[in-house]
Amino acid sequence: MFLRFLNAFWVGGLICTAGQILIDKTKLTPARILTSYVVAGVLLGALGIYEPLLEFAGAGASVPLLGFGNTIAMGVRSAVNIHGALGIFTGALTSAAAGITAALVFSFLASLGAKSADKA
């Protein structure tokens, strides 16, 4: 059990470290890096490369944005198998609905306790 936690920690840490290095050493904006992570997760998931990493690292690979991209790819693949070409348009939202909803709800709740201010 401890080994699973350790693998999740170091794999997730490497993914986040790579993102931080990109922020520090390139002129890419954080938004472009985050988008690149999602797209990379979609590509790795579509090619079947991300699944072994998920089995090895668990939450260390599923929680970062690469995992979100992989979730989208798996949802589209599943929906295409069930609904045909229509699944291309519905699969991503169906598979990621819980995560998107949680992000919206928690962001709203956080905004209730936050105080807005003008930037100087």
Side-chain angles (χ1 to χ4, degrees):
M1 186 65 145
F2 175 74
L3 191 58
R4 290 188 62 128
F5 290 121
L6 184 64
N7 289 340
F9 178 78
W10 74 262
V11 170
L14 282 177
I15 292 170
C16 294
T17 300
Q20 188 64 48
I21 290 170
L22 287 171
I23 290 171
D24 292 344
K25 301 294 182 184
T26 67
K27 294 185 180 194
L28 293 171
T29 63
R32 288 180 188 233
I33 294 168
L34 295 176
T35 304
S36 299
Y37 265 36
V38 173
V39 171
V42 169
L43 293 174
L44 292 172
L47 296 173
I49 298 171
Y50 206 74
E51 192 64 34
L53 184 62
L54 279 174
E55 291 175 18
F56 176 74
S62 66
V63 173
L65 284 171
L66 286 169
F68 180 70
N70 180 58
T71 300
I72 290 171
M74 289 188 326
V76 169
R77 183 181 310 139
S78 173
V80 166
N81 289 336
I82 295 169
H83 303 291
L86 183 61
I88 295 169
F89 303 106
T90 62
L93 288 177
T94 302
S95 66
I100 293 169
T101 302
L104 290 172
V105 168
F106 290 124
S107 297
F108 174 72
L109 293 175
S111 73
L112 294 176
K115 187 174 165 186
S116 63
D118 292 333
K119 290 186 178 183

